[in-house]
């Protein structure tokens, strides 16, 4: 017992490493956001709006800025951060502050254009907010575009100069005349000319649009948008806006100005990639916020989950130091310490497993196992654990025992089923939990069905997310919230999928699939000898499997009882037993004695880390033919195997 408790505490260092790994993954999301914002061409600054006592915006404070901010403003961002907009740009107009204030308070995007007296440049800024009280300004230098408008006005008297200017523009160009009805109300516009860049941007040829009315060419055009354009020709006031071209799917930045009364010109820039970068940036920031919330929730949950069993371990350990406890009370203390230790171990295992899955380091190790035996073992395990007399645990198996031999990773398959069964038992107070499988072609479809409260449709996606649990008003949730996500991740490793069928009040059924790999199609037992490996330590079995799987067929038994059962069922197919001496439930020596009652001839090689003279004598007297000591010397081990299995050929 003391050794178990020490092992639990030692595991905490591993747990801490994996918590650190998880935090590093969350930090990477933040780095991705930072990298994205640093590599866009538009200047970006995040600011906090400052209001007076009447909640009227009066200034803003710089919180962060990107590299392009320095390029567009000529100011080092280190100088700006923590200072207000008016401190950095004392000439800023109040109208800009008012606009930024509306965006921060209403969280509705707006476009601002204007002249910066400090930099002597024109700017267009798209302001949006993803958090109340803050706004992001995404801006660029539009001095060149303003220059185009002025250049056009200067050369408009010369037809040749005008044509040369338009055809060399990278921006799209459209020249229109306002059309009014009898009531002097603008109802349409006639297109006078467009340039080649416009054709490329929109896919509309000059011949199809020049000389025609806008609504004839674009009958689906938003009337309010057309009225806004005509207003430019009527009022002579310039405007800018962003529009999506439904025909091409491109995003366009449009500037409209009037060279003379009743006419307007559109200068059109394709900003699809820029807008995509902005949307990516906004989505990246949302992921950062989500990761922060997830990190906080994870730390709070882990703190509670770890402290609870630790409190029990420490509390009952202190009680054991008292001399006035009865034997019954001491046993209760030990039982509680053991229970809390198992719970702590389970938490640490979950963190280790999810870390491996996230890092793509979890691997599957296939060997031949009997599927029905796996289900029987799980049923017995949970029958002992389940203390609810109102809840029955049953299994359903389609294949016969002989048909149920498959190639699989039994450890991970059991882990998937165990996580789903534990979840069903935790949430089902009475009735039945049934688990099993059906064969559909070359796919095994497993299920875990319960008669619990069911899960609402809107909550079903949540339970597959890591560190998430569906809120239960009648019961406090326990656990890490990782059981089902781990099961789903392992299912994907098998090449299968997991899904849920549930309705509130009608119970739940979890399904998952893995490939059906029958023994007859995956291994040729007639050509390869078969070794039964009795080993409770997974890492030790994996080492033997890596050494031997090319040369022989391995069957894995996790304890002495299972070793005897497998040999009893497959006595003709097994050529040798490799027996670990120290195993749970039934030791290797006891298992060897049981085997010798059934089979006197099969070779049994003992493997142990402790070989004393008296133990060596006990092992041989039990019926083992030979012994190897751990750590096993590979070449000597091969020689020993071939001495008992002449058909075993090592390349």
């Amino acid at each position: 017992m003391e050794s178990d408790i020490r092992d639990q505490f030692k595991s905490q260092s591993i747990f801490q490493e994996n918590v650190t790994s998880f935090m590093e993954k969350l930090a990477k999301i933040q780095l991705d956001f930072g990298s994205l914002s640093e590599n866009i061409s538009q200047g970006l600054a995040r600011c906090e709006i400052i209001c007076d006592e009447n909640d009227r915006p009066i200034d803003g404070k710089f919180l962060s800025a990107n590299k392009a901010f320095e390029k567009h403003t000529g100011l080092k961002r280190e100088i700006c951060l923590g200072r207000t907009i008016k401190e950095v740009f004392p000439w800023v107009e109040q109208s800009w502050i008012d606009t930024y204030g509306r965006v921060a308070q209403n969280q509705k995007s707006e476009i601002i254009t204007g002249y910066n007296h400090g930099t002597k440049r024109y700017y267009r800024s798209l302001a949006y907010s993803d958090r109340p009280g803050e706004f992001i300004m995404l801006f660029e230098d539009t001095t060149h575009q303003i220059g185009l408008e002025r250049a056009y006005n200067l050369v408009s008297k010369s037809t040749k100069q005008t044509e040369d200017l338009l055809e060399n523009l990278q921006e799209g160009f459209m020249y229109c005349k306002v059309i009014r009805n009898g009531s002097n109300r603008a109802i349409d516009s006639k297109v006078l000319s467009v340039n080649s860049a416009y054709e490329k941007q929109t896919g509309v040829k000059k011949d199809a649009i020049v000389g025609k009315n806008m609504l004839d060419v674009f009958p689906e055009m938003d009337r309010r948008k057309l009225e806004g354009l005509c207003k430019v020709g009527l009022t002579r006031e310039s405007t800018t806006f962003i529009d999506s071209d439904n025909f091409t799917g491109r995003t366009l930045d449009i500037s409209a100005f009037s060279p003379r009364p009743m006419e307007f010109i559109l200068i059109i820039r394709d900003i699809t990639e820029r807008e995509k970068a902005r949307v990516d940036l906004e989505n990246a920031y949302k992921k950062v916020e989500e990761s922060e919330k997830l990190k906080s929730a994870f730390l709070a949950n882990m703190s509670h989950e770890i402290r609870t069993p630790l409190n029990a371990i420490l509390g009952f350990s202190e009680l054991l130091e008292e001399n006035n406890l009865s034997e019954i009370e001491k046993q209760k203390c030990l039982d509680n310490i053991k229970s809390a230790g198992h719970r702590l171990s389970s938490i640490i295992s979950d963190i280790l497993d999810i870390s491996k899955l996230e890092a793509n380091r979890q691997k599957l190790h296939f060997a031949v196992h009997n599927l029905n035996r796996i289900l029987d073992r799980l049923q017995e395990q949970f029958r002992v654990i389940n203390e609810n007399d109102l809840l029955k645990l049953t299994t359903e198996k389609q294949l016969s025992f002989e048909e149920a031999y498959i190639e699989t990773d039994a450890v991970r398959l059991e882990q998937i089923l165990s996580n789903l069964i534990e979840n069903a038992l935790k949430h089902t107070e009475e009735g039945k939990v049934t688990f099993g499988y059906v064969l559909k072609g070359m796919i095994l479809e497993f299920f875990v069905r319960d008669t619990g409260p069911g899960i609402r449709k809107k909550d079903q996606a949540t339970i597959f997310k890591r560190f998430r649990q569906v809120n239960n008003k009648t019961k406090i949730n326990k656990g890490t919230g990782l059981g089902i996500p781990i099961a789903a991740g392992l299912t994907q490793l098998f090449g299968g999928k997991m899904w849920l069928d549930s309705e509130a009040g009608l119970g739940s059924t979890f399904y998952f699939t893995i490939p059906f790999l029958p023994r007859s199609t995956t291994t040729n037992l007639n050509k390869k000898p078969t070794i039964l490996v009795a080993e409770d330590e997974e890492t030790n079995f994996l080492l033997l499997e890596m050494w031997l799987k090319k040369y022989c067929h391995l069957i894995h038994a996790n304890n002495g009882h299972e070793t005897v059962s497998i040999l009893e069922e497959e006595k003709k197919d097994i050529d040798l037993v490799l027996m670990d001496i120290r195993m749970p439930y039934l030791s290797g020596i006891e298992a060897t004695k049981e085997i010798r009652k059934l089979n006197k001839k099969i070779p049994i090689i003992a493997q142990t880390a402790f070989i004393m003279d008296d133990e060596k004598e006990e092992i041989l007297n039990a019926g083992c033919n030979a012994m190897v000591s751990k750590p096993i010397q590979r070449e000597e081990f091969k020689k020993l195997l071939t001495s008992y299995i002449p058909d075993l050929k090592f390349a």
Side-chain angles (χ1 to χ4, degrees), residues 557-576:
N558 291 288
N559 55 64
H561 279 306
E562 192 173 336
T563 305
V564 176
S565 297
I566 292 174
L567 190 68
E568 192 172 12
E569 292 158 5
E570 300 191 45
K571 59 184 77 175
K572 294 181 180 179
D573 294 329
I574 296 175
D575 298 286
L576 181 142

Side-chain angles (χ1 to χ4, degrees), residues 10 86 121 132 162 178 197 215 242 438 511 547 549 565 650:
K10 288 178 182 178
K86 289 184 177 179
R121 309 290 291 174
T162 303
V178 177
L215 289 178
I242 292 175
V438 293
Y511 296 93
W547 282 357
K549 65 181 179 181
S565 297
F650 292 104

Side-chain angles (χ1 to χ4, degrees), residues 623-639:
C624 290
N625 299 84
M627 290 178 294
V628 291
S629 59
K630 298 178 182 178
I632 299 173
Q633 300 300 314
R634 187 176 181 182
E635 295 306 317
E636 293 299 321
F637 180 57
K638 286 181 178 180
K639 291 179 182 179

